[in-house]
Amino acid sequence: YSNRLNGQWRSNTALGLFGSPDSNKNSSPAKKDNGGLFGGMGNLMESMKKAQEIAKQAQVVNKELADTLIVGTDPTGSVTATFNGLAIPIGIKISDAAIALGSEALSAAATQAIIDGHTKSQNLMINKMQALYASSGIPNPPSA
């Protein structure tokens, strides 16, 4: 709703962009408020610096993970799947013994090795990132 004041329409709602409209009615001295228009700028700059530091640390962790090799195997050890720490597949090795078992058994062994390597790689990545979060004072993201 709005009302008419001096021939112009005016809103009944006070926006209070630069403080509460009731603050002028109070005769007590003004209290310092860090949340005003520019009052929180120091905290923002601190937060930005911390975010940049965390980003640099995350780059180091990602480089370490990219350079780390993780090997997964099937239960018999006849097939190995290699991943880096970022869960990117690098290669797979199949022994002659696994080939001799036939296509169904070979397929199952390869799948088991891939799952094992990928799981180990993801666990390493999660542990490294959780350590980064803990050292930075950031709460861990919720697990799925």
Side-chain angles (χ1 to χ4, degrees):
Y1 294 104
S2 54
N3 59 17
R4 200 170 178 133
L5 179 67
N6 297 332
Q8 295 180 356
W9 288 100
R10 180 178 169 191
S11 172
N12 288 335
T13 310
L15 296 178
L17 291 175
F18 298 100
S20 170
D22 296 332
S23 63
N24 294 335
K25 296 177 187 174
N26 190 346
S27 61
S28 65
K31 295 179 182 176
K32 183 174 179 172
D33 181 17
N34 289 336
L37 188 59
F38 297 108
M41 197 59 79
N43 291 339
L44 177 63
M45 294 305 289
E46 268 184 47
S47 296
M48 291 298 291
K49 282 184 180 180
K50 186 167 187 165
Q52 287 174 340
E53 288 174 23
I54 293 168
K56 285 180 186 176
Q57 291 172 351
Q59 281 182 325
V60 170
V61 168
N62 279 337
K63 175 75 171 115
E64 288 174 4
L65 288 169
D67 293 341
T68 302
L69 294 180
I70 307 295
V71 177
T73 61
D74 73 312
T76 66
S78 60
V79 178
T80 60
T82 305
F83 289 81
N84 71 7
L86 296 172
I88 296 173
I90 304 298
I92 190 163
K93 290 185 181 179
I94 302 169
S95 71
D96 290 336
I99 293 172
L101 294 174
S103 63
E104 287 293 318
L106 176 58
S107 177
T111 300
Q112 290 170 331
I114 290 169
I115 290 171
D116 183 49
H118 189 261
T119 301
K120 288 176 180 177
S121 178
Q122 283 200 321
N123 288 339
L124 176 67
M125 187 179 357
I126 289 168
N127 290 337
K128 290 267 190 182
M129 294 309 291
Q130 285 178 341
L132 174 64
Y133 292 150
S135 71
S136 301
I138 299 173
N140 285 324
S143 50

